[in-house]
Amino acid sequence: MIMSVRVKDLLFERPIKLNDAEDHKIILKRGFLSAFIYSIGYGIYEYFVVYNYITLYNILGSVGNWIIMYVSLCLTVAFATRYNKKFNIEQVIMGLMFMAMLEDVIFWVCLWIDKGHYPYPAGNWWDSYFAIFRILGGLGRPIPIWPYVPIYYIPGFAMVITFYLSSNFGPKYSRIAAWIIGPLFITIIAGTLSDELFALVALFVIPSVSYAYILILLYKNQWNFIIKEN
């Protein structure tokens, strides 16, 4: 009985249940700072420890390093945003996306500092590893003008900035931005290490199911948000 109540809360209430404005400000600040600091720290660690000098890459491999990086970010943001005995899934997902951009920038900045030359355009390893990057037109390719950063930085940082700016207007706008952006990022994650067919299916299925799910929840709740979460 208790389990069914928790499942019902997780699946049918929490997606449309908001913290009040003051609690939201606290959670937003914790979420942003934890993701920001973690991204800088891991970018430095990844360059100097994983891939250079100590070279843990020889033990972990690329996938092992990515698993550690993403799981550790999830745990860091989850515990940083724990409030009223609950973790904030919205901040975890968007923190992952923030880290996927910023950590990569920090890695290349470390190379710039270490080697003394501008790191972009970087070698396009993204398209060779990530099927969904290839499907979307080669997001790992550099833009043709300075600063020659990978194409995916542009939509990626745009979505992250949109989320955090929207969040400053209150919990409702934060949740709406997360609903729109979150499924797209989850699709990217699902389609990274898969083949092209799976990535293509995920590109259509995950956003469609996610948006339909949210619209159904709002419709059943008469298009209202549950404003207070305790």
Side-chain angles (χ1 to χ4, degrees), residues 5 12 33 39 43 47 64 66 68 83 105 112 122-123 130 137 145 153 162 166 185 189 192-193 195 199 217 229:
V5 171
F12 302 112
L33 288 177
S39 300
Y47 179 81
W66 294 335
I68 292 172
Y83 202 75
V105 172
W112 189 0
F130 302 151
I145 58 175
Y153 277 14
T162 297
S166 300
F185 177 62
I189 295 296
T192 50
L193 300 179
D195 58 27
L217 289 185
E229 178 176 305

Side-chain angles (χ1 to χ4, degrees), residues 7-18 90 175-176 179 213-214 217-218 225-226 229:
V7 170
K8 180 181 178 182
D9 175 69
L10 180 64
L11 295 180
F12 302 112
E13 294 183 5
R14 292 198 67 184
I16 56 174
K17 187 184 291 184
L18 305 179
E90 174 183 311
R175 186 61 51 86
I176 291 172
W179 283 342
Y213 169 64
I214 292 300
L217 289 185
L218 284 172
F225 291 83
I226 302 172
E229 178 176 305

Side-chain angles (χ1 to χ4, degrees), residues 35-170:
F36 180 77
I37 294 170
Y38 177 93
S39 300
I40 293 175
Y42 203 93
I44 295 170
Y45 160 79
E46 185 177 49
Y47 179 81
F48 289 103
V49 177
V50 177
Y51 285 99
N52 298 281
Y53 300 102
I54 297 177
T55 60
L56 286 182
Y57 173 81
N58 295 332
I59 299 173
L60 300 173
S62 296
V63 175
N65 175 55
W66 294 335
I67 290 173
I68 292 172
M69 178 171 63
Y70 277 81
V71 171
S72 298
L73 184 281
C74 288
L75 293 174
T76 299
V77 177
F79 281 102
T81 58
R82 190 170 185 268
Y83 202 75
N84 291 330
K85 299 181 180 179
K86 293 181 180 179
F87 301 113
N88 193 283
I89 303 301
E90 174 183 311
Q91 291 295 326
V92 171
I93 293 174
M94 299 311 300
L96 276 173
M97 188 171 189
F98 186 24
M99 185 271 294
M101 306 297 133
L102 182 58
E103 187 276 340
D104 195 72
V105 172
I106 297 301
F107 178 93
W108 295 112
V109 168
C110 287
L111 184 148
W112 189 0
I113 295 171
D114 186 37
K115 303 299 183 182
H117 60 80
Y118 186 67
Y120 297 109
N124 183 10
W125 62 269
W126 296 276
D127 288 352
S128 61
Y129 270 95
F130 302 151
I132 200 162
F133 274 45
R134 297 192 294 273
I135 288 174
L136 293 174
L139 296 181
R141 293 181 293 112
I143 61 175
I145 58 175
W146 193 89
Y148 306 111
V149 296
I151 292 173
Y152 83 91
Y153 277 14
I154 298 173
F157 274 114
M159 287 189 285
V160 168
I161 292 169
T162 297
F163 169 73
Y164 285 114
L165 286 179
S166 300
S167 297
N168 280 293
F169 290 100

